[in-house]
Amino acid sequence: MHPWQALEGARVLDLAQPMRTGMPQSPNHPPFRMTLERRHGDLVRPDGGSAANELIVTGGHVGTHVDALAHVSQDGLLHGGLPAGEAMSQHGFGSLGIEEFEPYVGRCVLLDVTAVHGVHTLPPGYEITPADLSRAATGLELRPGDAVLVGTGWSRLWSSPEEFTGLRTGVPGPGAEAARWLAGHRPRLVGGESIAFEHIAPGRGHATLPVHRVLLVESGINIVETMRLAELLDSGAREFLLVLNPLPIVGATGAPVRPLAILPGEGP
Amino acid sequence: MHPWQALEGARVLDLAQPMRTGMPQSPNHPPFRMTLERRHGDLVRPDGGSAANELIVTGGHVGTHVDALAHVSQDGLLHGGLPAGEAMSQHGFGSLGIEEFEPYVGRCVLLDVTAVHGVHTLPPGYEITPADLSRAATGLELRPGDAVLVGTGWSRLWSSPEEFTGLRTGVPGPGAEAARWLAGHRPRLVGGESIAFEHIAPGRGHATLPVHRVLLVESGINIVETMRLAELLDSGAREFLLVLNPLPIVGATGAPVRPLAILPGEGP
Amino acid sequence: MHPWQALEGARVLDLAQPMRTGMPQSPNHPPFRMTLERRHGDLVRPDGGSAANELIVTGGHVGTHVDALAHVSQDGLLHGGLPAGEAMSQHGFGSLGIEEFEPYVGRCVLLDVTAVHGVHTLPPGYEITPADLSRAATGLELRPGDAVLVGTGWSRLWSSPEEFTGLRTGVPGPGAEAARWLAGHRPRLVGGESIAFEHIAPGRGHATLPVHRVLLVESGINIVETMRLAELLDSGAREFLLVLNPLPIVGATGAPVRPLAILPGEGP
Amino acid sequence: MHPWQALEGARVLDLAQPMRTGMPQSPNHPPFRMTLERRHGDLVRPDGGSAANELIVTGGHVGTHVDALAHVSQDGLLHGGLPAGEAMSQHGFGSLGIEEFEPYVGRCVLLDVTAVHGVHTLPPGYEITPADLSRAATGLELRPGDAVLVGTGWSRLWSSPEEFTGLRTGVPGPGAEAARWLAGHRPRLVGGESIAFEHIAPGRGHATLPVHRVLLVESGINIVETMRLAELLDSGAREFLLVLNPLPIVGATGAPVRPLAILPGEGP
């Protein structure tokens, strides 16, 4: 059976947040802005045709996106001990940029921490523990090379930018211990719903990013952030096909992506 | 069998061109530019961690991308007779923007016009005819709702920007007749390798865009441009699974995408 | 005596706020961002030389800037009754853009409303009245074609972005009556210290902009905003030479400027 | 006599080139782009008022602009021996950025090299020599701290971007010897009409920039480039008042400016 036949009738869930001027994002990154440059009617061809187009300004870590291994360094070194200073230039990173991330098409496991606690959305300042992840993984096999997503329900708050950003009240996410638990299963990538895949205590912002260090620098595991997992959490699916194909921006430390979860169809 | 099991061992081909400052693109659209904003070492956290990130300026029709139906109007009207003037504002298009394109995961057929002519790459000024497409489609079933790609071999010239852009020598592509042939099969989308999915005569540039009118305005069929089909052409595959998930930029007339072709694996 | 001789020993005051990422500005305009693109060492020429440069994203109404007459319309018409729709295209405005503002080198009068009230800075929600302006103009001649600046002391708050922007607490400025008083003296241009040359009531933001209508649309008088007048207010000078030369951005509705006030020197 | 009185009736010449998308500029710098973001009618306030505004992308060395001392380094060092690496961060340069350039209002001398050779515009590949400058300075006093402009007539070619940029045919300008002659007179700044104040041999581009090294790094003298001197050359004025007030972009290696030459009036 051809792959296209195997997926006929499958259910496709869009895991990306819509990108628009003013959407929630990290204050550390260039704000996303899309504006029409040419509108219909500005330039009408002799045959009555007209084309419109836009100008976009953005960061690589804006909207749903993938962190490249080049994104974080520790004591001046990138993953694998590469000196960060040697990898950077006006062309971006010569190594470990997002274009080196091979598109992922494979098994994905969703660890639903909201179900562990019987809530719809985790509270703002909650730090996810290894015990949370173990309980969420009950009955699920985690294989090396898999994708692992961690559900917090946080994507439900997308339309409330101040709450979603959580500068004052904090954001739920894994601490360093949970990151090590995840890294221990040797996944290809991990992902979550908030802006940074980290536990952010109230009022602290992104002062330290231990999860990024453990995953990107120490373990070579890419991170997907700002995913829209609400619908997937509600679907009950915990094992599915994930397609993750970030834009191949050469030398960038991250790139936007529109991830897809592919589930079995409803049947006839 | 779960979708993820069905695709284990499948072969994944990346159909996107790499995005970098200076890559070939249409002079009508904002030039792509990626620059590092923060480099490692600029801001070192007390624990020795440091993060780098970038600023990106681009158009929506730069690199491999999908045209939204809002992109082209004819006599002031968009697809379905919607007056273009009513759909546009500082937020982009309220209707027919690229975010309305539902991610495509399904069957795709490749019409290889280079094979029809026994060449590696079609000559610059060549206009693809309905007869070319019919011959390329021999033995292939084209179903309504499918994706259809047209192979010209043009993506082989990507690393020669002047040749690829073809302002002086022209670009091979379908004329209005070929567009009507394609539209007659009612595909969900069509795609090609050059900057504009059009036949461009030498020295003419994008003066008129009849194929865009036939497909986008008259038929409601999205167009994918600047695809990297060389490897797929060489693979011999003519029927495969295509994943096409452009960035959901709300109100935009187009968005970059990293399309994937998924083929059966090599086997054990 | 040559002009350069006439100004030898003169005192030059810089009336522009420094431009940097994160500075206070209107949320309605693209946020200013400056980032180094190429740094020294990225590309070293064989002779040991190296050049650094930046990428800048900005709006035209960011930092100290001049509003072009094209900036505001009333009932679809620009100054002089020009239909706004006919003047706009992908190239900006074909008429009344900022490039049509001839650089101003001439007499300027400062109406110091803080002195009228015996305060350092006017209170946030204060609306300047015609009586305030009359009192501030005591002993000063206002001639047609002059520049007139209105001092509120607001530029002293520049380093407190939230206070300066005043979204919650409001901003002092002229109301419609004061604008008519100003327009009645037929100046070439008027200027102030806050983001919008308007009285902004607490919590109202830029919901209506009557002063812009009176000055730009009805009277054809350009407005300078976000000026740094603190030092000038403190100097006691009320009549001086002003140089106002906004960047000649063709078709733009406004442009940044670094205005200079030139005062007599201290003498030997 | 007040400065504003001294300049009444003076003649003001605008020395800036108009800034628009597609204007000639160095390929090493981000291309200038101005696009309307909000147009009249997009958002009409209840009172019938509407505002339009733009989004601007640019480099600091685009259009008429001033080079900061931070722009060029030699063997890793900036002017005064400051290590370049220590001065740079995500905020730009902590020292020697363009905001440290105090606005210039003072005497300026124009050395007209076209008159020396009896031509309207110097030929593309011409290298200006110390002898040329000496002859052009005949009868003119060059004082320490003055501004010195060098006329080549090149600004007459502005409307022919390919010719003006001169990638193939070269650009006239001073060589290292002429730069040393200029530096020997210890001016505050020097300026010219082409994109780089350098002699550019045909086909060489900006491979080495000896004049920048001599002036910026060794001598601490700022450079103004892409000036529109044609009208000034034609006026016959060789000594005048120059106002040079680049935008105070904190930490930038250069900034756009609209320089003004102020000449005695025509008289009654």
Side-chain angles (χ1 to χ4, degrees):
Chain A
M1 192 163 62
H2 275 284
W4 67 264
Q5 291 170 312
L7 261 53
E8 275 195 311
R11 186 176 170 200
V12 176
L13 293 186
D14 177 1
L15 305 185
Q17 295 286 9
M19 304 178 82
R20 68 174 88 219
T21 303
M23 67 178 173
Q25 64 166 97
S26 165
N28 294 336
H29 295 271
F32 177 86
R33 201 150 190 117
M34 186 280 285
T35 189
L36 291 182
E37 175 175 83
R38 208 167 20 136
R39 298 193 185 184
H40 294 296
D42 278 350
L43 177 69
V44 181
R45 295 185 170 87
D47 66 355
S50 185
N53 64 282
E54 52 280 308
L55 173 60
I56 298 164
V57 177
T58 186
H61 299 259
V62 167
T64 307
H65 66 274
V66 182
D67 285 0
L69 299 185
H71 181 40
V72 168
S73 65
Q74 182 64 31
D75 301 324
L77 303 178
L78 299 172
H79 176 66
L82 185 69
E86 296 175 12
M88 304 180 295
S89 79
Q90 83 263 40
H91 306 300
F93 283 81
S95 305
L96 305 182
I98 194 63
E99 84 280 9
E100 294 189 2
F101 178 87
E102 201 185 338
Y104 183 79
V105 179
R107 184 174 183 260
C108 185
V109 167
L110 172 61
L111 305 181
D112 181 0
V113 182
T114 64
V116 167
H117 291 277
V119 296
H120 209 52
T121 305
L122 291 179
Y126 185 74
E127 176 176 340
I128 294 171
T129 65
D132 286 331
L133 297 177
S134 284
R135 286 178 61 194
T138 305
L140 289 169
E141 189 188 4
L142 272 67
R143 310 177 185 173
D146 272 357
V148 178
L149 306 183
V150 176
T152 59
W154 201 248
S155 58
R156 303 182 196 282
L157 304 175
W158 177 254
S159 55
S160 304
E162 200 172 326
E163 210 176 347
F164 187 86
T165 309
L167 291 180
R168 270 183 282 191
T169 49
V171 182
E177 289 308 310
R180 274 188 276 270
W181 187 95
L182 286 166
H185 289 86
R186 295 159 46 214
R188 167 90 191 278
L189 61 97
V190 301
E193 298 170 73
S194 56
I195 290 174
F197 189 67
E198 296 274 355
H199 163 242
I200 308 291
R204 287 206 43 242
H206 301 169
T208 63
L209 300 172
V211 173
H212 282 68
R213 186 189 70 238
V214 169
L215 294 174
L216 294 174
V217 185
E218 298 176 6
S219 312
I221 297 168
N222 293 86
I223 305 174
V224 194
E225 292 170 317
T226 318
M227 298 182 85
R228 193 167 68 96
L229 298 185
E231 195 179 359
L232 188 64
L233 287 165
D234 294 344
S235 76
R238 296 299 172 260
E239 190 182 12
F240 46 87
L241 175 66
L242 179 73
V243 176
L244 189 81
N245 47 350
L247 293 187
I249 305 178
V250 179
T253 71
V257 67
R258 190 173 192 174
L260 303 177
I262 300 174
L263 282 57
E266 305 290 317
Chain B
M1 190 162 64
H2 275 284
W4 67 265
Q5 290 170 312
L7 262 54
E8 276 196 311
R11 185 176 171 201
V12 176
L13 294 186
D14 177 3
L15 306 185
Q17 296 286 9
M19 303 177 82
R20 69 174 89 220
T21 303
M23 66 178 173
Q25 64 167 96
S26 164
N28 293 337
H29 295 272
F32 178 86
R33 200 147 189 119
M34 187 281 286
T35 187
L36 292 181
E37 175 175 84
R38 209 165 20 134
R39 299 193 185 185
H40 294 296
D42 278 349
L43 177 69
V44 181
R45 296 187 168 85
D47 67 353
S50 186
N53 64 281
E54 52 279 309
L55 174 60
I56 298 163
V57 176
T58 187
H61 299 260
V62 167
T64 307
H65 65 275
V66 183
D67 285 359
L69 298 186
H71 180 40
V72 168
S73 65
Q74 180 65 29
D75 302 323
L77 303 177
L78 298 173
H79 177 65
L82 186 68
E86 296 175 11
M88 305 181 294
S89 79
Q90 83 263 40
H91 306 299
F93 282 81
S95 304
L96 305 182
I98 194 65
E99 83 280 11
E100 294 189 3
F101 179 86
E102 200 184 340
Y104 183 79
V105 179
R107 183 172 183 262
C108 186
V109 167
L110 172 61
L111 304 183
D112 181 0
V113 183
T114 63
V116 167
H117 291 276
V119 296
H120 209 51
T121 304
L122 290 180
Y126 185 75
E127 176 177 339
I128 295 171
T129 65
D132 286 331
L133 297 176
S134 284
R135 286 178 62 191
T138 305
L140 289 168
E141 189 188 2
L142 271 68
R143 308 178 186 174
D146 273 358
V148 178
L149 306 183
V150 177
T152 59
W154 203 247
S155 58
R156 304 183 196 281
L157 305 175
W158 176 253
S159 55
S160 304
E162 200 172 325
E163 209 176 348
F164 187 85
T165 309
L167 291 181
R168 267 183 284 192
T169 50
V171 183
E177 290 307 310
R180 273 188 276 270
W181 187 96
L182 287 166
H185 288 86
R186 295 159 45 213
R188 168 92 191 276
L189 61 95
V190 300
E193 299 170 74
S194 56
I195 290 174
F197 188 68
E198 296 275 355
H199 163 243
I200 308 291
R204 286 211 40 245
H206 300 172
T208 61
L209 300 172
V211 173
H212 282 68
R213 187 190 68 236
V214 170
L215 295 175
L216 295 174
V217 185
E218 298 176 7
S219 313
I221 298 168
N222 294 86
I223 305 173
V224 194
E225 294 171 314
T226 318
M227 299 183 84
R228 193 167 68 95
L229 298 185
E231 195 180 358
L232 187 65
L233 286 166
D234 294 344
S235 77
R238 296 300 171 261
E239 192 181 11
F240 45 87
L241 176 66
L242 177 74
V243 177
L244 189 82
N245 48 351
L247 293 186
I249 304 178
V250 179
T253 69
V257 66
R258 190 173 192 175
L260 303 178
I262 301 174
L263 282 57
E266 306 290 318
Chain C
M1 190 162 65
H2 275 284
W4 67 264
Q5 290 170 313
L7 262 53
E8 274 195 312
R11 185 177 172 201
V12 177
L13 293 186
D14 177 2
L15 306 185
Q17 296 286 8
M19 304 177 82
R20 67 174 90 218
T21 303
M23 66 178 173
Q25 64 166 96
S26 164
N28 293 337
H29 294 272
F32 178 87
R33 201 149 189 116
M34 187 280 285
T35 188
L36 291 182
E37 176 175 84
R38 208 164 23 135
R39 299 193 186 185
H40 294 296
D42 279 349
L43 177 68
V44 181
R45 295 187 169 86
D47 66 355
S50 186
N53 65 281
E54 51 281 308
L55 173 60
I56 297 164
V57 177
T58 187
H61 299 261
V62 167
T64 306
H65 66 274
V66 183
D67 285 0
L69 299 185
H71 181 39
V72 168
S73 64
Q74 181 65 31
D75 302 323
L77 303 178
L78 299 172
H79 176 66
L82 185 68
E86 297 175 11
M88 306 181 293
S89 78
Q90 82 264 38
H91 306 299
F93 283 80
S95 304
L96 305 182
I98 193 65
E99 83 280 9
E100 294 189 2
F101 178 87
E102 201 184 339
Y104 183 80
V105 179
R107 184 173 183 261
C108 185
V109 167
L110 172 62
L111 304 183
D112 181 0
V113 183
T114 65
V116 168
H117 292 276
V119 297
H120 210 51
T121 305
L122 290 180
Y126 185 76
E127 176 176 340
I128 294 171
T129 65
D132 286 332
L133 297 176
S134 284
R135 287 179 61 192
T138 305
L140 289 168
E141 188 188 5
L142 271 68
R143 310 178 184 174
D146 272 359
V148 178
L149 306 183
V150 177
T152 58
W154 201 248
S155 59
R156 304 185 197 280
L157 304 175
W158 176 254
S159 56
S160 305
E162 201 172 324
E163 208 175 349
F164 187 85
T165 309
L167 290 181
R168 269 183 283 191
T169 49
V171 183
E177 289 308 309
R180 273 188 277 269
W181 186 96
L182 287 165
H185 289 85
R186 294 160 45 214
R188 166 91 192 277
L189 60 97
V190 300
E193 298 171 73
S194 56
I195 291 173
F197 188 67
E198 296 275 355
H199 163 243
I200 308 290
R204 287 209 42 243
H206 301 170
T208 62
L209 300 172
V211 173
H212 282 68
R213 186 190 67 238
V214 169
L215 295 174
L216 295 174
V217 185
E218 298 175 6
S219 313
I221 297 168
N222 293 87
I223 306 173
V224 194
E225 293 170 315
T226 318
M227 298 183 86
R228 193 166 68 96
L229 298 185
E231 194 179 0
L232 187 64
L233 286 166
D234 294 345
S235 77
R238 297 299 171 259
E239 192 182 12
F240 46 87
L241 176 66
L242 177 74
V243 176
L244 189 81
N245 47 352
L247 294 185
I249 305 178
V250 179
T253 70
V257 67
R258 189 173 194 174
L260 302 177
I262 300 174
L263 282 58
E266 306 290 317
Chain D
M1 192 163 61
H2 276 283
W4 68 264
Q5 291 170 312
L7 263 53
E8 277 196 310
R11 184 176 172 202
V12 176
L13 293 185
D14 177 2
L15 306 185
Q17 296 286 8
M19 303 177 82
R20 67 174 90 220
T21 303
M23 66 180 174
Q25 64 166 95
S26 164
N28 294 337
H29 295 272
F32 177 86
R33 200 148 190 117
M34 186 281 284
T35 187
L36 291 182
E37 176 175 82
R38 209 166 20 136
R39 299 193 185 184
H40 294 296
D42 278 350
L43 177 69
V44 181
R45 295 186 169 86
D47 66 354
S50 186
N53 65 281
E54 52 279 308
L55 173 60
I56 298 163
V57 177
T58 187
H61 299 260
V62 167
T64 307
H65 66 274
V66 182
D67 286 0
L69 299 186
H71 181 40
V72 168
S73 64
Q74 181 65 30
D75 302 324
L77 303 178
L78 298 173
H79 176 65
L82 185 69
E86 296 175 12
M88 304 180 294
S89 79
Q90 83 263 38
H91 306 299
F93 283 81
S95 304
L96 305 182
I98 193 64
E99 83 280 9
E100 294 189 4
F101 178 87
E102 201 184 340
Y104 182 79
V105 179
R107 183 173 184 263
C108 185
V109 166
L110 171 63
L111 305 182
D112 181 1
V113 183
T114 64
V116 167
H117 291 276
V119 295
H120 209 52
T121 305
L122 291 180
Y126 185 75
E127 177 177 339
I128 294 171
T129 65
D132 287 330
L133 297 176
S134 285
R135 288 178 61 194
T138 305
L140 290 169
E141 188 188 5
L142 271 66
R143 309 177 183 174
D146 272 357
V148 178
L149 306 183
V150 177
T152 59
W154 201 247
S155 58
R156 304 184 197 279
L157 304 175
W158 176 253
S159 56
S160 305
E162 199 171 326
E163 210 176 348
F164 187 85
T165 309
L167 292 180
R168 267 183 285 192
T169 49
V171 182
E177 289 309 309
R180 274 187 276 270
W181 186 95
L182 286 165
H185 288 85
R186 294 162 42 216
R188 167 92 191 278
L189 61 97
V190 301
E193 298 170 75
S194 56
I195 291 174
F197 189 68
E198 296 274 356
H199 163 242
I200 308 291
R204 284 208 44 244
H206 301 169
T208 63
L209 300 171
V211 173
H212 282 68
R213 186 189 70 237
V214 169
L215 294 175
L216 295 174
V217 185
E218 298 176 6
S219 313
I221 297 168
N222 293 86
I223 305 173
V224 195
E225 293 169 317
T226 318
M227 298 182 86
R228 193 166 68 95
L229 297 185
E231 195 180 358
L232 188 64
L233 287 165
D234 294 343
S235 77
R238 296 300 171 259
E239 190 181 13
F240 46 88
L241 176 65
L242 178 74
V243 176
L244 190 81
N245 48 351
L247 293 186
I249 305 178
V250 179
T253 69
V257 67
R258 189 172 192 173
L260 303 177
I262 300 174
L263 283 56
E266 306 290 319

